[in-house]
PDB file of all heavy atoms in Angstrom:
ATOM      1  N   GLY A 129     -19.337 -39.427  41.328  1.00  0.00           N
ATOM      2  CA  GLY A 129     -19.421 -40.600  40.480  1.00  0.00           C
ATOM      3  C   GLY A 129     -18.626 -40.392  39.206  1.00  0.00           C
ATOM      4  O   GLY A 129     -18.037 -39.331  38.985  1.00  0.00           O
ATOM      5  N   GLN A 130     -18.636 -41.412  38.359  1.00  0.00           N
ATOM      6  CA  GLN A 130     -17.830 -41.368  37.140  1.00  0.00           C
ATOM      7  C   GLN A 130     -18.541 -40.654  36.000  1.00  0.00           C
ATOM      8  O   GLN A 130     -17.917 -40.309  34.994  1.00  0.00           O
ATOM      9  CB  GLN A 130     -17.469 -42.799  36.702  1.00  0.00           C
ATOM     10  CG  GLN A 130     -18.554 -43.551  35.941  1.00  0.00           C
ATOM     11  CD  GLN A 130     -19.734 -43.998  36.806  1.00  0.00           C
ATOM     12  OE1 GLN A 130     -19.712 -43.882  38.025  1.00  0.00           O
ATOM     13  NE2 GLN A 130     -20.770 -44.513  36.153  1.00  0.00           N
ATOM     14  N   GLY A 131     -19.833 -40.430  36.142  1.00  0.00           N
ATOM     15  CA  GLY A 131     -20.593 -39.698  35.139  1.00  0.00           C
ATOM     16  C   GLY A 131     -21.340 -40.602  34.177  1.00  0.00           C
ATOM     17  O   GLY A 131     -20.929 -41.739  33.926  1.00  0.00           O
ATOM     18  N   THR A 132     -22.433 -40.084  33.645  1.00  0.00           N
ATOM     19  CA  THR A 132     -23.203 -40.785  32.626  1.00  0.00           C
ATOM     20  C   THR A 132     -23.664 -39.751  31.596  1.00  0.00           C
ATOM     21  O   THR A 132     -24.094 -38.651  31.952  1.00  0.00           O
ATOM     22  CB  THR A 132     -24.391 -41.549  33.250  1.00  0.00           C
ATOM     23  OG1 THR A 132     -25.047 -42.324  32.248  1.00  0.00           O
ATOM     24  CG2 THR A 132     -25.401 -40.619  33.901  1.00  0.00           C
ATOM     25  N   GLN A 133     -23.544 -40.109  30.326  1.00  0.00           N
ATOM     26  CA  GLN A 133     -23.820 -39.162  29.251  1.00  0.00           C
ATOM     27  C   GLN A 133     -25.301 -39.140  28.926  1.00  0.00           C
ATOM     28  O   GLN A 133     -25.939 -40.196  28.784  1.00  0.00           O
ATOM     29  CB  GLN A 133     -23.010 -39.548  27.998  1.00  0.00           C
ATOM     30  CG  GLN A 133     -23.265 -38.673  26.793  1.00  0.00           C
ATOM     31  CD  GLN A 133     -22.714 -37.266  26.948  1.00  0.00           C
ATOM     32  OE1 GLN A 133     -21.679 -37.057  27.575  1.00  0.00           O
ATOM     33  NE2 GLN A 133     -23.414 -36.298  26.382  1.00  0.00           N
ATOM     34  N   VAL A 134     -25.828 -37.936  28.760  1.00  0.00           N
ATOM     35  CA  VAL A 134     -27.194 -37.738  28.265  1.00  0.00           C
ATOM     36  C   VAL A 134     -27.097 -36.863  27.020  1.00  0.00           C
ATOM     37  O   VAL A 134     -26.511 -35.778  27.057  1.00  0.00           O
ATOM     38  CB  VAL A 134     -28.092 -37.064  29.319  1.00  0.00           C
ATOM     39  CG1 VAL A 134     -29.453 -36.745  28.718  1.00  0.00           C
ATOM     40  CG2 VAL A 134     -28.243 -37.972  30.540  1.00  0.00           C
ATOM     41  N   THR A 135     -27.644 -37.363  25.926  1.00  0.00           N
ATOM     42  CA  THR A 135     -27.625 -36.637  24.660  1.00  0.00           C
ATOM     43  C   THR A 135     -29.056 -36.432  24.195  1.00  0.00           C
ATOM     44  O   THR A 135     -29.807 -37.399  24.044  1.00  0.00           O
ATOM     45  CB  THR A 135     -26.827 -37.408  23.606  1.00  0.00           C
ATOM     46  OG1 THR A 135     -25.489 -37.623  24.083  1.00  0.00           O
ATOM     47  CG2 THR A 135     -26.773 -36.631  22.301  1.00  0.00           C
ATOM     48  N   VAL A 136     -29.411 -35.175  23.961  1.00  0.00           N
ATOM     49  CA  VAL A 136     -30.766 -34.832  23.524  1.00  0.00           C
ATOM     50  C   VAL A 136     -30.681 -34.270  22.113  1.00  0.00           C
ATOM     51  O   VAL A 136     -30.011 -33.263  21.871  1.00  0.00           O
ATOM     52  CB  VAL A 136     -31.406 -33.800  24.472  1.00  0.00           C
ATOM     53  CG1 VAL A 136     -32.853 -33.535  24.058  1.00  0.00           C
ATOM     54  CG2 VAL A 136     -31.342 -34.285  25.917  1.00  0.00           C
ATOM     55  N   SER A 137     -31.357 -34.908  21.187  1.00  0.00           N
ATOM     56  CA  SER A 137     -31.337 -34.467  19.800  1.00  0.00           C
ATOM     57  C   SER A 137     -32.616 -33.698  19.469  1.00  0.00           C
ATOM     58  O   SER A 137     -33.681 -33.974  20.017  1.00  0.00           O
ATOM     59  CB  SER A 137     -31.187 -35.672  18.871  1.00  0.00           C
ATOM     60  OG  SER A 137     -32.249 -36.588  19.082  1.00  0.00           O
TER      61      SER A 137
END
Side-chain angles (χ1 to χ4, degrees):
Q130 81 288 352
T132 185
Q133 177 70 34
V134 174
T135 302
V136 184
S137 58

